């Protein structure tokens, strides 16, 4: 942990932990974003002999894939409920890895401990970006690989967050919006000259589960912690609920682009610790 990390407001962290435990993230991980873990593991060239840390691993989307590739893996996340769901799923599949509750701003690991440190649509949700980026770098060995896969601000989930923002309580001082991690310049600035060999590419996740924006909204309203939190913040105000309903459906409709499949844009960034 670096000196700055001690200033992270633990009340904010506790709220986030509770938010990610609401709804049914394990369902969403299986039904919508499962292809992303393998994308990140492949981009990092993870294999036997690698000691890997997955930060904000949730139910182990990337971590389980890395373990299947032969690596020795620790999946860490703020939310114990998600780790438990991931551990059960890994056990069912006969995959062995470690599960550890951890805040990305204060990782309970030694300096230079891992060959690979990665995060799949995960560390982007730790609100204090520089703290979290510092921790990713600290626990990675010199010459080790760092990989982050993050929704872009312009893509569908980035736009979902922008849409929900006016309906949510104001963010705590110093917090930054999650989709900033989807901008290459932002991540380069966070990592600075502590990394080299940076590669960054924008790609899209094809999502064919929804017929229209309203279906997307209803799914997220029931399943996705941040969306549930937005609705809870305005419950009791029927006009605001109706407005948010309309806004989320509208942005959802916009991401079909005349086709049956939605395309959700993300940034895949890899680097090596200098
Ligand atoms: C969208 S989920 C991604 C989970 C998983 N990596 C995946 O690909 O499905 C975001 C995850 O970030 C975790 N998270 C949010 N804030 C965190 C923090 N400060 N430290 C560690 N994990 C955090 C949540 O608990 C949640 O599991």
């Amino acid at each position: 942990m670096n000196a700055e990390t001690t200033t992270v407001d633990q009340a904010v962290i506790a709220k986030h932990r509770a938010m990610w435990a609401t709804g049914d993230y394990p369902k969403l991980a299986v039904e919508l974003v499962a292809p992303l873990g393998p994308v990140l593991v492949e981009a990092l060239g993870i294999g036997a002999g690698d000691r890997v840390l997955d930060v904000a691993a949730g139910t182990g989307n990337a971590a389980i894939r890395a373990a299947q590739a032969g690596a020795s893996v620790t999946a860490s996340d703020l939310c114990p409920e998600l780790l438990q769901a991931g551990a059960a799923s890994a056990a069912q599949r006969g995959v062995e890895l470690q599960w550890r509750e951890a805040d990305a701003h204060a990782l309970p690991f030694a300096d230079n401990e891992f060959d690979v440190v990665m995060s799949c649509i995960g560390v982007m949700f730790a609100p204090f970006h520089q703290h979290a980026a510092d921790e990713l770098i600290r626990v990675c060995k010199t010459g080790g690989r760092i990989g982050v896969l993050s929704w872009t601000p312009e893509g569908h989930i980035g736009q979902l967050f922008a849409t929900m923002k006016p309906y949510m309580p104001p963010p705590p001082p110093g917090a930054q919006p999650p989709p900033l991690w989807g901008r290459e310049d932002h991540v380069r600035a966070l990592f600075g000259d502590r990394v080299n060999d940076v590669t960054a590419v924008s790609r899209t996740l094809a999502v064919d589960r929804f017929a229209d924006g309203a279906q997307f909204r209803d799914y997220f309203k029931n399943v996705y912690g941040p969306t549930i939190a937005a609705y809870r913040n305005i419950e009791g105000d029927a006009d605001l609920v109706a407005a948010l309903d309309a806004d989320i459906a509208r942005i959802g409709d916009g991401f079909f682009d005349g086709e049956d499949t939605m395309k959700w844009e993300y940034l895949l960034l890899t680097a090596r610790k200098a």
Side-chain angles (χ1 to χ4, degrees), residues 3 7 39 58-59 72 82 84 96 115-116 141 153 177 182 187 190 195 216 218 243 254 262:
T7 64
V39 166
T59 50
S72 164
L82 298 184
Q84 280 155 22
E96 282 188 23
D115 301 302
V116 180
K141 277 183 186 157
V187 185
L190 292 174
V195 299
F216 160 78
D218 291 343
M262 299 176 95

Side-chain angles (χ1 to χ4, degrees), residues 13-239:
I13 300 305
K15 263 192 204 155
H16 278 227
R17 185 184 291 112
M19 180 180 79
W20 285 103
T22 58
D24 192 350
Y25 189 78
K27 171 182 160 82
L28 188 156
V30 170
E31 293 180 349
L32 301 182
V33 299
L36 298 180
V39 166
L40 184 56
V41 170
E42 197 173 308
L44 288 163
I46 291 171
D50 281 326
R51 178 128 198 252
V52 176
L53 176 66
D54 186 0
V55 175
T59 50
N61 186 8
I64 292 175
R65 182 55 165 236
Q68 286 172 326
S72 164
V73 180
T74 300
S76 69
D77 196 273
L78 192 57
C79 187
E81 291 86 344
L82 298 184
L83 294 173
Q84 280 155 22
S89 154
Q92 259 180 5
R93 290 189 258 170
V95 184
E96 282 188 23
L97 63 157
Q98 304 297 311
W99 301 86
R100 180 88 183 260
E101 189 176 334
D103 176 7
H105 306 98
L107 293 172
F109 305 107
D111 296 357
N112 307 311
E113 192 170 335
F114 296 95
D115 301 302
V116 180
V117 178
M118 64 179 180
S119 190
C120 180
I121 51 169
V123 71
M124 63 182 295
F125 294 105
F128 306 105
H129 293 192
Q130 192 64 62
H131 285 283
D134 291 350
E135 284 294 85
L136 297 184
I137 292 174
R138 181 183 65 77
V139 301
C140 185
K141 277 183 186 157
T142 301
R145 290 103 81 201
I146 298 173
V148 279
L149 190 157
S150 311
W151 303 120
T152 64
E154 301 77 20
H156 182 45
I157 300 299
Q159 288 296 300
L160 172 68
F161 275 86
T163 302
M164 293 190 306
K165 191 169 176 216
Y167 299 91
M168 298 189 90
Q176 290 183 291
L180 272 184
W181 273 89
R183 280 179 39 188
E184 180 182 343
D185 59 347
H186 182 68
V187 185
R188 279 184 183 270
L190 292 174
F191 288 165
D193 61 6
R194 295 171 295 172
V195 299
N196 52 35
D197 291 349
V198 177
T199 69
V201 57
S202 290
R203 294 195 188 160
T204 56
L205 171 72
V207 176
D208 63 3
R209 194 174 180 88
F210 308 113
D212 57 22
Q215 268 191 17
F216 160 78
R217 175 201 63 215
D218 291 343
Y219 184 101
F220 268 58
K221 210 171 160 176
N222 286 302
V223 169
Y224 192 56
T227 306
I228 294 168
Y231 277 98
R232 281 193 182 158
N233 189 48
I234 56 172
E235 71 191 348
D237 188 326
D239 289 343

